[in-house]
Amino acid sequence: EVQLVESGGGLVKPGGSLRLSCAASGFTFSSYSMNWVRQAPGKGLEWVSSISSSSTYMYYADSVKGRFTISRDNAKNSLYLQMNSLRAEDTAVYYCARGGAYSPDDYWGQGTLVTVSS
Amino acid sequence: DIQMTQSPSSLSASVGDRVTITCRASQSISNYLNWYQQKPGKAPKLLIYAAYSLQGGVPSRFSGSRSGTDFTLTISSLQPEDFATYYCQQTYTTPLTFGGGTKVEIK
């Protein structure tokens, strides 16, 4: 069974940093591109970042470019999102999803809430 | 960036109704269009990918179609478990973009 479990969310002050993790199981993680997608409270879905299976390609939304870094460790079956210089508008539930830049997101984690507030 | 304009933003329907949701892309995206269902407090669930293809395990009352840059999600006979919010997504190019969502409510 495919499982994606996010962790690392929480309350952080504006300008602070947070690192999200996504633990994958039930499939050959190293064969799939992965995405981060977020959803602000009461709002729609927003793509954040994608990474290819071997980390060759990484893509970012303009809203996070230069502040967020996506990475993965295929030996640990894990996906990461390093978030720096956080802003109030980054407050959202962050989902990891199996899919990548040009594929549908066929499996999603349960999400982790990031709240940026003083 | 490719804009995805989804309509309507909400609709009220009864069990058994045929429901149609439309998504228009601001430019050609070929068939790189996916549909998701999201229930409150839950992660989105993939329903349709590549405009027409039904994801495994998804009931056959869901279907997708395309006419140029207009895409349609149809639920042939609405069931109680279908009351949710639906999103389209283009995966033709980055930045990947979603439609604004359609909330399907009980009439």
Side-chain angles (χ1 to χ4, degrees), chain B residues 4 7 9 23 33 38-39 47 51 55 69-70 79-80 82 85 87 97 106:
Chain B
M4 304 303 296
S7 62
S9 57
C23 193
L33 190 285
Q38 187 179 34
K39 296 182 179 179
L47 298 176
Q55 176 69 352
T69 58
D70 291 342
Q79 297 303 299
D82 300 336
T85 301
Y87 294 93
T97 45
I106 301 171

Side-chain angles (χ1 to χ4, degrees), chain B:
Chain B
D1 298 2
I2 297 176
Q3 308 303 318
M4 304 303 296
T5 304
Q6 195 172 333
S7 62
S9 57
S10 66
L11 64 90
S12 295
S14 301
V15 172
D17 284 353
R18 181 181 183 88
V19 169
T20 299
I21 299 168
T22 298
C23 193
R24 173 169 289 174
S26 61
Q27 64 186 73
S28 175
I29 58 170
S30 186
N31 284 344
Y32 288 86
L33 190 285
N34 312 305
W35 290 98
Y36 299 88
Q37 176 195 66
Q38 187 179 34
K39 296 182 179 179
K42 300 294 187 182
K45 172 188 174 183
L46 178 65
L47 298 176
I48 302 283
Y49 63 95
Y52 297 96
S53 299
L54 194 67
Q55 176 69 352
V58 174
S60 59
R61 61 180 179 274
F62 291 93
S63 65
S65 62
R66 171 197 172 192
S67 177
T69 58
D70 291 342
F71 298 83
T72 300
L73 172 69
T74 299
I75 309 172
S76 60
S77 178
L78 198 66
Q79 297 303 299
E81 60 267 30
D82 300 336
F83 292 95
T85 301
Y86 295 83
Y87 294 93
C88 62
Q89 176 205 37
Q90 66 82 16
T91 49
Y92 180 75
T93 189
T94 58
L96 308 185
T97 45
F98 290 88
T102 297
K103 186 173 184 178
V104 177
E105 298 176 301
I106 301 171
K107 183 182 284 184

Side-chain angles (χ1 to χ4, degrees), chain A residues 104-116:
Chain A
D105 296 311
D106 58 355
Y107 288 94
W108 297 63
Q110 84 288 351
T112 188
L113 176 63
V114 172
T115 303
V116 184

